[in-house]
Amino acid sequence: MTAATELRARQDRGRKVAQNREKWASVRTYVSAAVILFWCLAPAYWMVVTAFRDVGYTYDTSLLPTHVTLDNFKTAFDTSFGNRFGQALLNSLFIGVTVTVISLVVGVFAAYALARLNFRFKYLVLGFILGASMFPGVALITPLFQLFTNIGWIGTYQALIIPNISFVLPLTVYTMTSFFREMPWELEEAARVDGCTQGQAFRRVIMPLAAPAIFTTAILAFISSWNEFLIASQLSNDATQPVTVAIANFAGAQPQQIPYTAIMAAGTIVTIPLVILVLVFQRKIVAGLTAGAVK
Amino acid sequence: MATELGPTPVKEPASGGAPIHHKPKGVGEDNAIASQGKWAAWLLAPTIFALAIVIVYPIISAIVMSFQKDAGLDPATGLFTEGGPAGFSNYTNWIFQQCAAPDGGTVACPPGTLGAQFWSATGTTFYFTIITVTLETILGFWMAIIMARTFRGRSLVRAAVLVPWAIPTAVTAQLWLFIFAFEGIGNKLFNTTILWTGSEIPARWAVIIADTWKTTPFMALLILAGLQMIPAEVYEAAKVDGASAWQRFRMITLPLVKPALMVAILFRTLDALRMFDLPYILTEGSNNTTTLSILVVNQIRQGFNSAAALSTITFIIIFIVAFIFVRFLGANVVEQQTGAGKGKK
């Protein structure tokens, strides 16, 4: 009897120690999580707060919103200092959508082949596509600049769309390849048993199933095109520049004074749709983002 | 998730790369490799063709250009030079930092000209790469470990890390320029009076901090994906065997997450080596923040061919680094890629 009670007491003590340790571990986890949240969100918060702050209080450093105004958003779209932010938004949208559609239409076939078929040189093709996605844009810019100068394409939309395909297409292919590997392909075989050709099976059975994967890939493709700066900064002009270039070159009334509040407003406008998109499709996006590298 | 994993769960055998395990017996069996190869060729053709136009053609034309002399006035010396074949002179001029001289030969480039910046730009590029990738790996690993735990609000944290990633780099650069303004919040919060973009060390660290903020989430998510491949039973077993937290990290987490980690580091390193947007906008390349990419872009309008030589050098440097990673450090991207999808059930 006494031995049993003693044992129980010892077990209780042990449990208590373990509980205490667990409690501490969870406190540490929450503190760490708070630090991560702060690190990731504080600068973005500052952008938004500044975007809504009166231009006369640009350098007000109170952490909560003060002197709230919508004027900066008006200034962002104001064209009187040579800024064409509104136009740039449309340009980015147009370039991004075009690049995404082209990359998806072209890339979906390659992804299917890489995920489903067995053929020689598969590794070579995969290696080539992965290598292409990591290719430095700066190695393309010089020959393209010369070529587009010679044929009068500098400042045209095609001069911005074509180079973007160089990194969006490989990204599209390898993200979709990873997604396609995880799909229930048995259904395709079932469709073929029922008399579909491989092409029909792909269109009628696989495409609807693949829609979420393709949609996620489209978001990733669009974001990477939307964020492109290097090539656009060299090959665009005032009429065709995308938002990244417009924001980088944003001018104020006085050349010496950077119009930060208006820039932050512009930055907020550019970022908010992306952040919403990313947060809504968070799980899928993370899966797509890490697809090429790890699974 | 991930239950049938062997002793090295993350780095699975690629099993020929084909998703054979999905293929039911019988029906698809008649699809011999030969006929699949034909299919594959047709399906891959558009992508290969497109990439040939947008990547292979520019590379070849850059290499051809790099062996041609730039015709026109040399901006550094004001001399008119003829075009024509250049041999390796465009390359040697960069590497030995030489410019055209009045007598037709070459002299050391005067300080401040683009020709005199090759080695400093190379140094800056590697400085940024080594420091940012190291910081991002450590911070990213830490974030990944936290995010891998189960706690309330975990999905909030996972969503939050996507915010810096989603903000375009050009906006990030302007945002941090504002944070690092003399009267900005950066100096205010830390009670400092640093002219961030005014001298070398602060300017470089402004770029490093902004880059770390922007890209650590990507690193963290890649590492997190690797961590989630490790089955919980392995940790339980180690706990039962009395392994301390540090031992578990060193003997289980690190080796098992290594393949994913190496690929993440490789991606980030190659990305950092071509860094352009941040220093171009944040510091405009001043105070020794000119990277190789910025130098190429500055050179374009002074001579295509010379810029082509420099971009080819940059490409070769990046290629060598990638080769070292894949060959010696075991960052097997293709295997990771082809092995994908099998661990997740």
Side-chain angles (χ1 to χ4, degrees):
Chain A
M1 277 305 268
T2 42
T5 16
E6 200 175 301
L7 185 64
R8 196 170 303 142
R10 199 182 289 167
Q11 276 176 341
D12 275 353
R13 230 177 299 138
R15 206 172 295 137
K16 218 168 242 168
V17 170
Q19 268 172 356
N20 255 339
R21 197 179 291 159
E22 228 157 69
K23 208 194 250 165
W24 267 113
S26 94
V27 166
R28 277 208 310 270
T29 303
Y30 278 108
V31 171
S32 307
V35 172
I36 296 175
L37 278 180
F38 178 80
W39 163 253
C40 291
L41 297 182
Y45 168 78
W46 196 240
M47 174 171 81
V48 177
V49 167
T50 309
F52 285 99
R53 193 166 271 164
D54 190 276
V55 65
Y57 298 88
T58 302
Y59 293 103
D60 188 334
T61 48
S62 40
L63 297 175
L64 293 173
T66 52
H67 311 282
V68 176
T69 169
L70 288 173
D71 285 354
N72 299 317
F73 292 90
K74 243 182 270 163
T75 315
F77 285 103
D78 187 2
T79 52
S80 51
F81 307 123
N83 302 316
R84 293 175 166 210
F85 181 65
Q87 177 67 39
L89 270 175
L90 293 177
N91 292 339
S92 273
L93 198 65
F94 175 66
I95 295 166
V97 168
T98 312
V99 169
T100 304
V101 169
I102 293 176
S103 299
L104 281 175
V105 168
V106 172
V108 73
F109 298 107
Y112 177 80
L114 288 168
R116 283 291 291 151
L117 301 178
N118 207 357
F119 55 93
R120 281 202 300 170
F121 308 123
K122 187 169 175 171
Y123 285 100
L124 198 71
V125 174
L126 258 177
F128 173 68
I129 288 170
L130 272 169
S133 72
M134 285 180 258
F135 193 77
V138 76
L140 302 178
I141 189 81
T142 317
L144 290 180
F145 192 91
Q146 195 204 28
L147 176 69
F148 291 163
T149 306
N150 289 343
I151 59 177
W153 274 18
I154 298 284
T156 59
Y157 286 109
Q158 64 267 31
L160 301 171
I161 289 166
I162 292 171
N164 274 13
I165 291 173
S166 75
F167 61 89
V168 176
L169 178 57
L171 172 96
T172 309
V173 171
Y174 80 64
T175 309
M176 274 198 290
T177 303
S178 306
F179 277 137
F180 281 179
R181 282 213 172 89
E182 296 186 5
M183 292 201 344
W185 291 100
E186 297 79 5
L187 291 180
E188 185 198 35
E189 302 293 348
R192 295 199 64 196
V193 171
D194 291 347
C196 287
T197 64
Q198 189 152 9
Q200 282 173 327
F202 180 71
R203 264 202 325 276
R204 298 200 184 148
V205 179
I206 294 308
M207 279 306 258
L209 278 173
I214 291 173
F215 184 66
T216 309
T217 311
I219 294 178
L220 289 173
F222 182 79
I223 288 177
S224 71
S225 171
W226 179 268
N227 291 356
E228 204 284 326
F229 175 72
L230 166 61
I231 289 163
S233 72
Q234 302 305 311
L235 301 183
S236 67
N237 63 18
D238 282 355
T240 55
Q241 65 182 8
V243 276
T244 48
V245 177
I247 285 177
N249 297 334
F250 210 91
Q254 281 96 24
Q256 288 310 310
Q257 224 165 9
I258 307 175
Y260 283 119
T261 50
I263 293 177
M264 293 303 120
T268 306
I269 294 169
V270 170
T271 306
I272 293 297
L274 291 196
V275 168
I276 291 174
L277 210 59
V278 163
L279 295 188
V280 169
F281 299 102
Q282 182 208 359
R283 265 169 200 287
K284 277 270 159 201
I285 297 262
V286 170
L289 202 57
T290 54
V294 244
K295 257 291 154 65
Chain B
M1 203 201 293
T3 43
E4 38 77 73
L5 295 165
T8 53
V10 179
K11 192 178 179 179
E12 283 180 278
S15 74
I20 294 167
H21 58 295
H22 282 311
K23 201 158 125 193
K25 295 265 181 266
V27 185
E29 218 63 72
D30 57 328
N31 272 354
I33 287 196
S35 80
Q36 290 207 349
K38 218 167 160 194
W39 253 105
W42 278 108
L43 294 172
L44 288 169
T47 296
I48 303 289
F49 180 70
L51 290 181
I53 292 177
V54 296
I55 294 187
V56 180
Y57 167 73
I59 299 176
I60 293 172
S61 98
I63 293 171
V64 171
M65 283 165 71
S66 69
F67 290 107
Q68 300 287 318
K69 270 189 195 139
D70 281 313
L73 287 176
D74 189 310
T77 55
L79 294 168
F80 189 82
T81 41
E82 296 279 331
F88 281 94
S89 67
N90 282 330
Y91 290 93
T92 51
N93 282 353
W94 281 114
I95 291 166
F96 299 111
Q97 307 201 142
Q98 298 199 301
C99 293
D103 58 5
T106 51
V107 290
C109 287
T113 59
L114 295 179
Q117 291 180 35
F118 174 72
W119 286 106
S120 73
T122 308
T124 303
T125 305
F126 277 92
Y127 180 92
F128 281 150
T129 303
I130 292 168
I131 295 180
T132 57
V133 174
T134 307
L135 281 177
E136 286 157 21
T137 307
I138 296 168
L139 272 173
F141 212 130
W142 173 71
M143 284 187 188
I145 288 174
I146 303 296
M147 287 191 287
R149 289 184 191 154
T150 12
F151 59 95
R152 267 171 88 197
R154 177 172 70 163
S155 57
L156 178 69
V157 175
R158 286 190 185 178
V161 297
L162 284 170
V163 170
W165 171 81
I167 297 180
T169 317
V171 176
T172 306
Q174 291 283 27
L175 170 58
W176 284 92
L177 184 62
F178 178 55
I179 290 173
F180 286 134
F182 185 69
E183 302 164 272
I185 188 81
N187 275 340
K188 166 85 180 194
L189 274 187
F190 298 101
N191 217 0
T192 49
T193 50
I194 299 169
L195 261 174
W196 282 94
T197 51
S199 58
E200 183 179 319
I201 304 283
R204 283 183 161 189
W205 276 89
V207 173
I208 288 168
I209 292 169
D211 189 68
T212 307
W213 178 72
K214 161 112 182 108
T215 46
T216 303
F218 176 72
M219 198 76 163
L221 290 173
L222 286 188
I223 297 170
L224 176 64
L227 284 178
Q228 287 173 332
M229 294 291 306
I230 306 173
E233 299 90 79
V234 180
Y235 286 107
E236 293 302 325
K239 248 185 202 171
V240 170
D241 289 346
S244 69
W246 171 244
Q247 276 173 327
R248 274 173 302 185
F249 176 77
R250 218 167 45 94
M251 316 290 271
I252 300 173
T253 311
L254 218 45
L256 290 187
V257 88
K258 193 186 157 215
L261 183 65
M262 289 313 295
V263 171
I265 293 176
L266 171 69
F267 278 11
R268 275 305 309 148
T269 304
L270 300 188
D271 216 25
L273 285 172
R274 59 187 179 187
M275 194 193 287
F276 176 80
D277 310 18
L278 270 181
Y280 191 78
I281 300 170
L282 187 50
T283 56
E284 295 167 341
S286 62
N287 299 307
N288 268 326
T289 53
T290 296
T291 60
L292 282 168
S293 292
I294 294 179
L295 195 58
V296 172
V297 166
N298 289 340
Q299 174 65 39
I300 288 177
R301 285 180 177 76
Q302 303 201 3
F304 291 142
N305 298 333
S306 184
L310 185 60
S311 73
T312 308
I313 294 174
T314 308
F315 172 55
I316 292 170
I317 290 175
I318 293 178
F319 186 82
I320 291 172
V321 172
F323 180 79
I324 291 171
F325 262 93
V326 173
R327 183 78 184 71
F328 299 108
L329 298 173
N332 197 336
V333 182
V334 174
E335 190 171 306
Q336 282 292 108
Q337 169 73 12
T338 48
K342 266 178 267 169
K344 235 178 186 171
K345 277 275 142 112

